[in-house]
Amino acid sequence: MSDSGNERKISRRKLLLGGAATAAVVLVKSSFGKIVQTSLPESSGVTADPTKILGAFPAEIGTRSSFEKLVKKPSFTSSRTPLQALYGTITPSDLHFERHHAGVPLIEPDGYELLIHGLVDKPMVFSLADLKRFPSVTRIAFLECSGNFRTGKMEMSPQDICGLTSQSEWTGVMLSTLLREVGVRSGAGWLLAEGSDAAVMTRSIPLRKALDDAMIVYAQNGEAIRPEQGYPARLFLPGWEGNTSIKWIRRIEVGDQAYMTREETSKYTEEVKGGKIRQFSFDMDARSIITYPAYPERVERGWIEIRGIAWSGRGKIVQVDVSTDAGKNWYTASLPGLILDKAHTQFKYLWYWDGGETEILSRATDETGYVQPTMQQLIAARGESMGGYHLNPVTAWYVQRDGQVFHRPER
Amino acid sequence: MSDSGNERKISRRKLLLGGAATAAVVLVKSSFGKIVQTSLPESSGVTADPTKILGAFPAEIGTRSSFEKLVKKPSFTSSRTPLQALYGTITPSDLHFERHHAGVPLIEPDGYELLIHGLVDKPMVFSLADLKRFPSVTRIAFLECSGNFRTGKMEMSPQDICGLTSQSEWTGVMLSTLLREVGVRSGAGWLLAEGSDAAVMTRSIPLRKALDDAMIVYAQNGEAIRPEQGYPARLFLPGWEGNTSIKWIRRIEVGDQAYMTREETSKYTEEVKGGKIRQFSFDMDARSIITYPAYPERVERGWIEIRGIAWSGRGKIVQVDVSTDAGKNWYTASLPGLILDKAHTQFKYLWYWDGGETEILSRATDETGYVQPTMQQLIAARGESMGGYHLNPVTAWYVQRDGQVFHRPER
């Protein structure tokens, strides 16, 4: 939620004085003068009143307003959702974050096949049409990269800090349905999931998760999943670190133990205290972020609706607390929208800002009782050299006297 | 849900015979040969195996796969959502139906203003930033044109028959919040809502609806609403005929009676029996449509998951019945997803098609007890000359012996 890059004052609400009807009619004429029809030829001489010009015809496909500049700030390996510029809980598909290990392969849907083999009774290959023919499931859930934390300077937006989380309505087939089809043999305990990108991305998945809520998804927000999300089909493991939800999935092997792939030995592990390494840290811990007001927003004195999202890989969000005095006092925010399992959940808190310098923070609690920690608590639990994965600290926004909001770096 | 235009057989599931592990590895090599990397220079001589080529880098903004052809089949005044090609319940914003009375005006957001005046204590003008500063509300709901019914030939898809309904996650401010701000005077009973398009589209809205669940929305599916949906702000009246949800809204006048505009006298009324006219028929009645299988789909003998959507402007869908024998027997479908107020609701019914000629139908019931009528029932209630609005008949799909599915026209 942002008018960033927009220099105008936020609160221009006008109180019309005088007799309502007459004053209002005058106002209609004057106050709509700013509505422009920019598709008009500049030399046409026609008034810029849109009610005088036939508008554009319906189109084969809609397009975003040219006034809305939304970008994912891509690097060579990832791109980030502009959380501060979004509303509600669904991430537009073209703004879903990306994280690839060797880019986005181009896969022809008619040639797509998924092999399931290994410790199964009947190894099988499923075409995309096969996958769509099975009973389908639709659910709204977030997807988050395990390396979704950056800090270090004041000029950082929610997109910069934690833009590697996005939410979609996913549709596909339960992996358990496919596993029932091939017949998992006794002794099976793990699956190897393999993508068809140039990294041949592979992860070991416990059979328990595969039989619980794992899906092979082929649709996102009403349409086929986007190429950068695994078109034409990907694994989706709700609540688990994003890299395990193998995109462009081509092969699932059922085995009796973890496969110890590159992505779970040299990467996606975390150092913890005592020189130990935490492996298979799949669950994304509960987290929240205030998305309004946040950098680069500038606010005005008065009532401000603090808005944000909270989520947990372990279930539902049950509470979000907000502090408007740098953590001294905490107040329970409202959760006014849908509260879904493993889903971005909106929170809101109405705050009267008196114009003083302060910090605002949010803290999520999920249904397991887990409370989002501070960075100090994370360091205390894991030690200083804990690496860059699974960092979900309470994040503070510093509000200057002039209303400018900045990130308050963690250290 | 469709592979329309796709000539390949649907069911190509392969059963691999022989020793699982060895056979499977061979299969990996052979069965992925069809996966192509078409971004490769044709002369490069590199194998078409995507695992051998670095894929595309992350982008500023995502794009739909070039293999997915989704269009809204526009006319000069409307365009239709391809319901048969969609999954889940959210309509991608660029596939939301359109219905304009004088095209899509181009409105600069910084100049946007909404005037509320008339029988109020303080007539006021709200900028877009003002609207966003108020407490916000997010809800998933459908929007449907009151003229959402076509029939007459067999080669009609769900898009052709009833593609003037779409669903979004809408975010905005409650109209009741704005009305509290201006102070509605006693004696007020109706509002006039006016758009800034070249039709200066106007409708009278009962104050009761304005204070119930009416919203001024500025966002749709996570981002700013699209130009063709009223950018930068529109009225949204959940469950009511679409034309009352005035797009590009610029003015709301509070009055003591209906304004009797062109759109509620010469249009958007229905003839009923006895030469009478039904006016202010706002609620969209409960309805359902099977979206799979549907024309132009062709199915194969065996298990088929019949899928569709049901919705009601009066509340939640409580039941959908499906018949697979032309209406002789009816079975209760499952409603496996979210069941939300005034929202497209998924229904599913698993059917074994024995290859015989038949008709499949669906029938929705909402929480008020209203049951979706047949066309014969609509004619009996309203008479033959009932016009083209608020027609929500049970719709049948004819399944030929060869699996080709056709619309069964109503008469």
Side-chain angles (χ1 to χ4, degrees), chain A residues 346-364:
Chain A
Q346 294 178 295
F347 68 87
K348 294 179 184 179
Y349 179 73
L350 204 55
W351 172 46
Y352 188 85
W353 181 48
D354 61 8
E357 188 181 63
T358 191
E359 280 179 32
I360 58 174
L361 307 86
S362 65
R363 184 177 65 196

Side-chain angles (χ1 to χ4, degrees), chain B residues 155-207:
Chain B
E155 297 83 7
M156 292 181 80
S157 67
Q159 177 176 29
D160 299 323
I161 297 165
C162 60
L164 298 177
T165 186
S166 308
Q167 176 146 292
S168 298
E169 185 197 56
W170 303 98
T171 296
V173 52
M174 296 305 291
L175 181 52
S176 58
T177 301
L178 302 181
L179 291 176
R180 203 175 307 123
E181 200 76 3
V182 298
V184 173
R185 288 191 179 166
S186 71
W190 288 78
L191 274 57
L192 180 75
E194 179 184 277
S196 53
D197 58 338
V200 193
M201 183 75 187
T202 45
R203 284 300 311 258
S204 304
I205 312 296
L207 183 62

Side-chain angles (χ1 to χ4, degrees), chain A residues 36 38 89 106 136 169 348, chain B residues 36 38 89 106 136 169 348:
Chain A
V36 294
T38 61
T89 71
L106 183 59
S136 67
E169 185 197 56
K348 294 179 184 179
Chain B
V36 293
T38 59
T89 70
L106 184 58
S136 67
E169 185 197 56
K348 295 178 183 180

Side-chain angles (χ1 to χ4, degrees), chain A residues 14 24 27 31 36 38 60 64 68 72 87 89 106 113 117 132 134 136 169 223 231 307 348, chain B residues 14 24 36 38 55 60 64 68 72 87 89 106 113 117 125 132 134 136 169 223 231 307 348:
Chain A
K14 295 187 193 77
L27 190 85
S31 65
V36 294
T38 61
E60 285 218 322
R64 183 169 287 147
E68 298 295 317
K72 297 201 283 182
Y87 308 85
T89 71
L106 183 59
E113 289 183 328
H117 70 131
K132 291 181 178 177
F134 281 103
S136 67
E169 185 197 56
E223 60 175 290
Y231 183 86
R307 301 167 189 159
K348 294 179 184 179
Chain B
K14 295 186 193 76
V36 293
T38 59
E60 284 219 321
R64 183 168 287 147
E68 298 294 318
K72 297 200 284 183
Y87 308 86
T89 70
L106 184 58
E113 290 183 328
H117 70 132
V125 172
K132 291 180 178 176
F134 281 103
S136 67
E169 185 197 56
E223 60 175 290
Y231 183 86
R307 300 167 189 159
K348 295 178 183 180

Side-chain angles (χ1 to χ4, degrees), chain B residues 195-248:
Chain B
S196 53
D197 58 338
V200 193
M201 183 75 187
T202 45
R203 284 300 311 258
S204 304
I205 312 296
L207 183 62
R208 175 185 52 75
K209 179 70 173 179
L211 296 176
D212 176 16
D213 59 1
M215 299 168 68
I216 302 293
V217 302
Y218 43 77
Q220 171 184 19
N221 296 339
E223 60 175 290
I225 57 171
R226 297 298 183 95
E228 63 273 16
Q229 292 309 319
Y231 183 86
R234 75 179 299 168
L235 182 61
F236 180 59
L237 303 179
W240 280 24
E241 57 181 34
N243 71 78
T244 61
S245 286
I246 299 291
K247 299 190 285 281
W248 318 289

Side-chain angles (χ1 to χ4, degrees), chain A residues 40 47 57 72 83 116 136 148 166 290 294 302 309 337 352 363:
Chain A
L40 263 187
T47 170
F57 292 138
K72 297 201 283 182
L83 298 171
I116 304 184
S136 67
N148 189 24
S166 308
I290 292 171
I309 49 172
Y352 188 85
R363 184 177 65 196

Side-chain angles (χ1 to χ4, degrees), chain A residues 288-290 292 304-310 317-324 329-337 339 345-351 361-365:
Chain A
S288 67
I289 184 85
I290 292 171
Y292 179 87
I304 294 172
E305 188 180 58
I306 293 175
R307 301 167 189 159
I309 49 172
I317 290 293
V318 294
Q319 188 172 326
V320 178
D321 299 302
V322 167
S323 173
T324 57
N329 294 285
W330 292 86
Y331 306 96
T332 304
S334 65
L335 308 177
I339 301 175
T345 303
Q346 294 178 295
F347 68 87
K348 294 179 184 179
Y349 179 73
L350 204 55
W351 172 46
L361 307 86
S362 65
R363 184 177 65 196
T365 303

